[in-house]
Amino acid sequence: MNLFTYQKSLEYKKALQVNSKQFDKVDRRTEKNGYISYLYRKLSDEIGDESLQITANRVFSCSRFYQIDYYVDQKVKDVQRTYFCHNRFCDNCQNAYAVQREFKYTPVLDQLSKLFHLYHIVFTVPNCYSDQLLITLDQMQNSFGYINRYLNGNLKIKGIDFLKYGYSGCIRALEITKSKKGDFHPHFHCLFLFRNDLSKFPEWKKYNVNSYSFDNPDVVLHRKKSYGTPQRYFSDFEILLQKIWRLKFDGIKVTRDNLEGIKEGYSVIVDPAKGRYHQVFKYATKGLFKKTDGDLNYRDFVNLHFALQNRRIIQGYGVFFHCDFEEINLDTDKYYNRLVAVLRSNEYPIPEIEKLDQILTAQLHAKDITYISRQSMRRIMEDNNDER
Ligand SMILES: [Zn+2]
């Protein structure tokens, strides 16, 4: 190997290194999987569904084993792949999806924001207990479909013109959080695309106060909470969406009279997205399993399992209709390919399987060995943090 190639390879090796922090993060994200697989086993026994035993095993072994190419002389271990369980409750897999989604769609949205106006809209319904989640999510999904159809002009309400906003599509993401009281707070975080700037319309002016102006968990607090002070004013546009959303959710016909007849809808909040798309790309069950509060109990887990089964967590409408938001795609990258070529020009690697705890120990003690991996693998080992 010439000096130039050798130096380049050192540079790439450094850039492609998977450090112990990244493995630690995987370890932390999968630490609840033992408990989750116990819940699946219990459910399997209760309802006699053998396939849930397989799910339990999959969740238990998520990202525990790594296929590695070991370049012995060069002291490099190349992490080829790991095994993902793809389970809805697995923080590790859901994090991997979220990271990939954000990475893939952020540049697309940045481009779209040059042509369209992007808004972050949160749709909420009253909290419910876990046994009501399945029916609540069905109703939310159904009602949301109607909102989409009103905005795109496929459905009309007498005297209301939605077409003037130039609605072009949206991404709808479900998030479920659990309150301290023990009930659940299902809501949609959405990104809406409009051809027109909504702030140019008089109904954008925010002056209405209603019960969602106070202590609303979906309102980002710009100032300190103080009792009795509105934290948020709503525009007529928001009030209209709130009322349609409520009527549809409650199964009442959406007519001009019924809209005027109800005092208050359910919470809908509209804000310019301002390049912040993160809320839409994180995952539905983030934070549901907490180490601190004794974890999700078995009943809640069972109800959530059936409520989320076969349900699309992220759905595109309009221009986003054909987007697949749930994929883990390990592509290779240029530098990785170059480094592997250099490594292989010196020796053939020994393929081996290593357990995560072996890797963590090796990284502590056998410091002369460098673990490397392609960019996409390293990326999904990182956390999809809220701070971004
Ligand atoms: Zn997993």
Side-chain angles (χ1 to χ4, degrees):
M1 193 185 340
N2 67 40
L3 192 63
F4 178 76
T5 318
Y6 176 72
Q7 274 176 346
K8 268 280 169 228
S9 76
L10 284 184
E11 218 175 276
Y12 293 154
K13 208 162 99 176
K14 211 172 164 193
L16 297 168
Q17 189 175 355
V18 193
N19 57 40
S20 58
K21 266 193 197 144
Q22 282 156 309
F23 284 111
D24 268 338
K25 282 176 184 169
V26 174
D27 195 35
R28 217 177 43 232
R29 282 198 300 265
T30 49
E31 72 182 348
K32 297 163 220 161
N33 286 24
Y35 177 64
I36 298 169
S37 63
Y38 153 78
L39 293 170
Y40 273 114
R41 277 199 191 91
K42 197 169 165 179
L43 178 60
S44 168
D45 292 342
E46 191 183 278
I47 62 172
D49 182 346
E50 284 286 312
S51 72
L52 292 174
Q53 294 283 348
I54 299 165
T55 308
N57 293 339
R58 291 173 68 116
V59 172
F60 190 75
S61 47
C62 181
S63 296
R64 290 281 114 187
F65 299 93
Y66 292 80
Q67 194 182 316
I68 279 168
D69 274 354
Y70 184 14
Y71 298 89
V72 183
D73 293 342
Q74 297 166 99
K75 296 187 171 20
V76 171
K77 290 190 176 184
D78 175 12
V79 180
Q80 293 284 303
R81 55 183 64 84
T82 187
Y83 166 76
F84 292 105
C85 71
H86 300 273
N87 188 272
R88 282 275 152 85
F89 297 103
C90 173
D91 269 353
N92 187 50
C93 290
Q94 294 306 317
N95 177 76
Y97 284 134
V99 170
Q100 290 241 325
R101 268 198 291 275
E102 197 159 344
F103 179 78
K104 184 172 167 188
Y105 288 102
T106 296
V108 177
L109 290 165
D110 281 339
Q111 282 303 314
L112 283 170
S113 68
K114 291 175 186 164
L115 304 165
F116 295 88
H117 296 267
L118 264 67
Y119 294 86
H120 177 216
I121 309 190
V122 187
F123 293 82
T124 301
V125 294
N127 282 12
C128 66
Y129 284 93
S130 65
D131 56 349
Q132 287 297 309
L133 271 174
L134 193 145
I135 194 155
T136 302
L137 298 183
D138 279 349
Q139 270 166 271
M140 284 173 73
Q141 229 164 281
N142 186 278
S143 311
F144 191 88
Y146 280 94
I147 298 275
N148 178 62
R149 289 165 70 188
Y150 284 123
L151 288 169
N152 71 18
N154 277 333
L155 277 176
K156 287 189 168 60
I157 306 167
K158 213 174 160 198
I160 300 173
D161 174 22
F162 280 115
L163 286 175
K164 64 180 174 185
Y165 304 125
Y167 169 68
S168 306
C170 72
I171 303 171
R172 185 216 72 200
L174 169 67
E175 189 182 5
I176 304 171
T177 52
K178 193 180 172 186
S179 80
K180 285 203 180 83
K181 223 174 85 192
D183 57 1
F184 288 81
H185 175 57
H187 52 287
F188 289 140
H189 281 281
C190 313
L191 274 180
F192 274 71
L193 237 60
F194 292 99
R195 273 195 310 279
N196 299 321
D197 180 354
L198 299 190
S199 70
K200 296 279 188 294
F201 294 94
E203 57 272 32
W204 179 257
K205 195 169 173 280
K206 295 179 190 285
Y207 65 96
N208 300 286
V209 173
N210 65 19
S211 62
Y212 309 113
S213 302
F214 307 90
D215 298 329
N216 184 335
D218 300 317
V219 168
V220 181
L221 294 179
H222 294 296
R223 56 180 127 147
K224 240 181 152 182
K225 254 190 198 178
S226 63
Y227 183 75
T229 312
Q231 285 144 1
R232 166 94 193 193
Y233 292 87
F234 294 105
S235 65
D236 288 344
F237 179 68
E238 285 171 306
I239 298 286
L240 177 63
L241 286 181
Q242 289 178 357
K243 288 185 174 182
I244 297 174
W245 175 236
R246 179 178 189 156
L247 288 179
K248 267 293 155 202
F249 185 82
D250 289 349
I252 301 167
K253 208 166 182 312
V254 181
T255 61
R256 191 85 204 194
D257 284 349
N258 288 342
L259 284 169
E260 274 159 20
I262 54 165
K263 201 173 153 277
E264 215 166 78
Y266 292 144
S267 174
V268 176
I269 300 163
V270 185
D271 282 313
K274 287 185 190 151
R276 296 180 59 190
Y277 318 125
H278 180 73
Q279 294 285 358
V280 180
F281 294 129
K282 56 186 201 181
Y283 51 103
T285 51
K286 188 169 188 173
L288 272 185
F289 285 86
K290 287 194 184 73
K291 277 172 288 170
T292 45
D293 64 358
D295 281 317
L296 210 63
N297 68 48
Y298 176 64
R299 251 326 113 199
D300 282 346
F301 164 76
V302 172
N303 288 327
L304 269 160
H305 166 75
F306 288 110
L308 294 178
Q309 202 177 32
N310 301 325
R311 191 180 297 281
R312 261 181 191 273
I313 301 294
I314 301 200
Q315 171 74 55
Y317 292 82
V319 295
F320 296 111
F321 184 70
H322 290 293
C323 295
D324 179 4
F325 294 103
E326 296 207 357
E327 53 180 351
I328 296 178
N329 182 12
L330 287 180
D331 47 289
T332 51
D333 54 80
K334 202 167 68 184
Y335 298 122
Y336 173 80
N337 288 341
R338 283 185 197 164
L339 178 61
V340 168
V342 174
L343 292 169
R344 283 188 176 251
S345 70
N346 294 310
E347 63 180 311
Y348 279 117
I350 301 168
E352 55 176 42
I353 302 285
E354 280 192 23
K355 281 168 78 175
L356 180 59
D357 41 11
Q358 279 179 312
I359 297 177
L360 287 167
T361 317
Q363 290 208 325
L364 272 180
H365 302 293
K367 287 201 164 90
D368 57 334
I369 292 185
T370 309
Y371 284 83
I372 60 150
S373 196
R374 64 195 91 176
Q375 194 192 27
S376 49
M377 182 79 185
R378 283 178 289 120
R379 191 186 304 130
I380 58 174
M381 291 172 92
E382 289 293 333
D383 289 327
N384 185 239
N385 284 325
D386 273 348
E387 289 74 46
R388 244 188 270 171

